[in-house]
Amino acid sequence: MYTVAIIGAGFISTRKHLPAWLRLRRRVKVVAVCDLDRTRAEAVSRQFGIPAAYDDVNQMLARERPDFVDVCTPPSTHADIAVAALKAGSNALIEKPMATTVQECERIIEAERASKGRVEVAHTELFHPQVIEARKRIERGDVGRLTGMRIFYSTPVTLWTTDPGHFANRLPGGSIGETGPHVVYLSQAFIGPIREVRVRGRKILPEYPWSPFEDYRLELMGDRVSSSIVLTYTSKHSAFLLELWGAEGIMKVDMQSKMLVNYHRVNQSPWGIGLSAVSEAAQIASGAFANGFEYLAGRFRNIHDRTVSEFFKRSVNGLPPAVTSQDGLETVRVMSAISEQLQSQAEPMDSPLPQRPEQRERP
Ligand SMILES: NC(=O)c1ccc[n+]([C@@H]2O[C@H](COP(=O)([O-])OP(=O)(O)OC[C@H]3O[C@@H](n4cnc5c(N)ncnc54)[C@H](O)[C@@H]3O)[C@@H](O)[C@H]2O)c1
């Protein structure tokens, strides 16, 4: 039987990672939970039936010597914890982002090279079956050569924008530091290495002065193709939509309702447009039915389940990680360029357009 220790007993650990590890109970035992907040660690250990609770990572590593460590703490702590885990001989799954700077990622990679353990970064959105399917279809040439992509991501304002104490409001560049890694690694998965970044942040909600921006427009330029992204933290609604297009077709993925819709509209007559709309509606209806059936049949597995079980299986079978430490570093490199640009934006709009002649004040 293998052993795993969970570090961090907050949101993602209790909602997703711990349940995912417990589903693997036939092969791996959760032996400890560790959180700086001892009361929280003890409460989570009682709630999930985990034998030991700690408030000190090094003490936990020395006593438990776990085969696996799952790092579910805020990004600024990832490097120290992952390096300590690797030095103790554990394999480390690290929640995204791998760390907050490229230097921290390099420190983790050095420790990984010097150890017998491995690192995987939880780039969870890559484990969506629809993302996997979209990647397959692009490789197969279903939309022709990929010529562009777009992402719209709305995080409900109540998740942390309203909370002055949440770590996301203190990340470099603000909230984008928390959800931005998802859109960066998704873009990298489709368009390859990012060569250039343009970002514009806007402060929309003055009632939350601790949040630097709540609206981000992001352009990521790959070698051949670009990804355009809108990240908003202003609505009570959540949305995560991805569009990919090539000469032969367009694919639309709703990451939350788990739908992949093929969009074909080469014929622009009313009939052509009508038929393409009917085809989209039919794909949505059949997708909703299939997803509903999977859920009711108890076969639904969320992306964190998939991330944790892939990490575990690949590690014990000696297969390469699905997301390597180098992939994690590349995402952090782009995130660092984004936050640098945002930090240099002193004014919300630094180059206003000249006024039209009729708007100018008359003498
Ligand atoms: N993949 C996803 O969809 C997803 C979603 C949410 C969060 N995350 C990531 O998960 C990580 C944690 O986020 P969260 O929302 O669960 O945060 P959280 O604030 O809810 O929980 C973090 C916990 O870590 C503890 N902690 C902080 N420093 C520690 C240390 N040095 N040692 C031990 N415990 C420590 C805190 O006391 C807290 O209980 C972040 O990297 C975040 O970006 C990923």
Side-chain angles (χ1 to χ4, degrees):
M1 186 69 115
Y2 293 96
T3 56
V4 58
I6 314 292
I7 317 214
F11 173 79
I12 205 67
S13 136
T14 53
R15 301 273 185 102
K16 306 288 185 187
H17 283 243
L18 259 167
W21 282 106
L22 292 172
R23 275 183 205 109
L24 299 172
R25 59 170 66 82
R26 272 193 247 150
R27 299 200 61 199
V28 55
K29 182 171 181 196
V30 184
V31 288
V33 56
C34 176
D35 196 293
L36 277 185
D37 180 340
R38 183 156 192 103
T39 320
R40 191 176 294 175
E42 282 171 356
V44 169
S45 122
R46 274 194 303 278
Q47 184 190 347
F48 289 90
I50 301 165
Y54 292 85
D55 58 13
D56 183 290
V57 173
N58 290 314
Q59 194 183 58
M60 183 281 290
L61 289 169
R63 285 214 197 132
E64 304 288 344
R65 296 264 154 210
D67 299 306
F68 300 98
V69 157
D70 188 353
V71 185
C72 295
T73 53
S76 59
T77 64
H78 290 181
D80 284 348
I81 296 175
V83 168
L86 288 162
K87 280 190 180 156
S90 304
N91 300 285
L93 176 64
I94 311 176
E95 250 303 347
K96 62 86 204 141
M98 179 172 168
T100 49
T101 63
V102 167
Q103 291 72 21
E104 284 179 352
C105 294
E106 283 167 347
R107 210 151 58 78
I108 299 175
I109 291 174
E110 234 170 75
E112 185 184 25
R113 283 203 194 109
S115 80
K116 60 181 172 61
R118 64 161 65 197
V119 166
E120 176 150 344
V121 186
H123 284 178
T124 44
E125 305 295 332
L126 296 180
F127 293 87
H128 268 288
Q130 290 67 28
V131 169
I132 294 168
E133 179 61 24
R135 290 176 82 175
K136 262 193 220 150
R137 288 188 192 185
I138 285 171
E139 237 166 68
R140 234 171 30 208
D142 289 12
V143 296
R145 190 163 58 97
L146 184 73
T147 48
M149 68 180 287
R150 183 164 78 167
I151 300 175
F152 174 72
Y153 195 163
S154 167
T155 303
V157 66
T158 46
L159 218 56
W160 62 71
T161 309
T162 51
D163 175 3
H166 197 285
F167 69 80
N169 292 311
R170 293 189 301 273
L171 291 171
S175 290
I176 197 170
E178 179 52 6
T179 34
H182 291 306
V183 297
V184 170
Y185 66 68
L186 265 176
S187 301
Q188 288 167 320
F190 288 103
I191 71 171
I194 309 294
R195 305 297 180 200
E196 202 186 320
V197 169
R198 276 184 218 143
V199 61
R200 167 67 68 189
R202 292 202 81 174
K203 174 90 197 127
I204 305 274
L205 305 176
E207 60 271 40
Y208 309 123
W210 48 83
S211 138
F213 306 105
E214 296 89 23
D215 178 292
Y216 300 87
R217 308 295 163 115
L218 185 54
E219 289 290 327
L220 302 179
M221 265 73 80
D223 279 331
R224 272 191 323 101
V225 178
S226 299
S227 177
S228 303
I229 298 155
V230 175
L231 290 165
T232 175
Y233 305 81
T234 54
S235 159
K236 62 180 174 187
H237 300 281
S238 66
F240 197 170
L241 306 168
L242 165 67
E243 288 176 354
L244 299 144
W245 56 88
E248 305 301 326
I250 296 176
M251 279 189 284
K252 297 181 178 184
V253 180
D254 181 334
M255 308 281 282
Q256 294 176 325
S257 67
K258 313 205 179 307
M259 303 275 187
L260 194 166
V261 171
N262 276 316
Y263 176 95
H264 281 282
R265 194 168 287 180
V266 276
N267 177 345
Q268 287 170 50
S269 72
W271 273 108
I273 293 170
L275 280 176
S276 109
V278 168
S279 155
E280 270 192 78
Q283 291 178 66
I284 291 172
S286 66
F289 183 77
N291 289 342
F293 181 76
E294 190 183 59
Y295 193 74
L296 291 174
R299 292 212 298 261
F300 174 76
R301 287 167 67 227
N302 67 44
I303 51 175
H304 294 86
D305 276 336
R306 293 171 193 269
T307 305
V308 165
S309 73
E310 273 292 308
F311 165 64
F312 173 70
K313 279 194 232 148
R314 283 172 173 269
S315 305
V316 298
N317 294 325
L319 297 170
V323 180
T324 63
S325 45
Q326 201 58 44
D327 297 332
L329 179 145
E330 284 309 315
T331 298
V332 170
R333 192 193 302 283
V334 175
M335 286 306 301
S336 302
I338 291 170
S339 58
E340 260 167 43
Q341 277 190 30
L342 286 166
Q343 277 159 351
S344 68
Q345 278 174 31
E347 295 295 323
M349 292 295 283
D350 48 15
S351 38
L353 289 176
Q355 286 183 344
R356 294 211 314 270
E358 65 270 25
Q359 288 175 328
R360 287 202 191 112
E361 271 181 39
R362 284 163 205 273

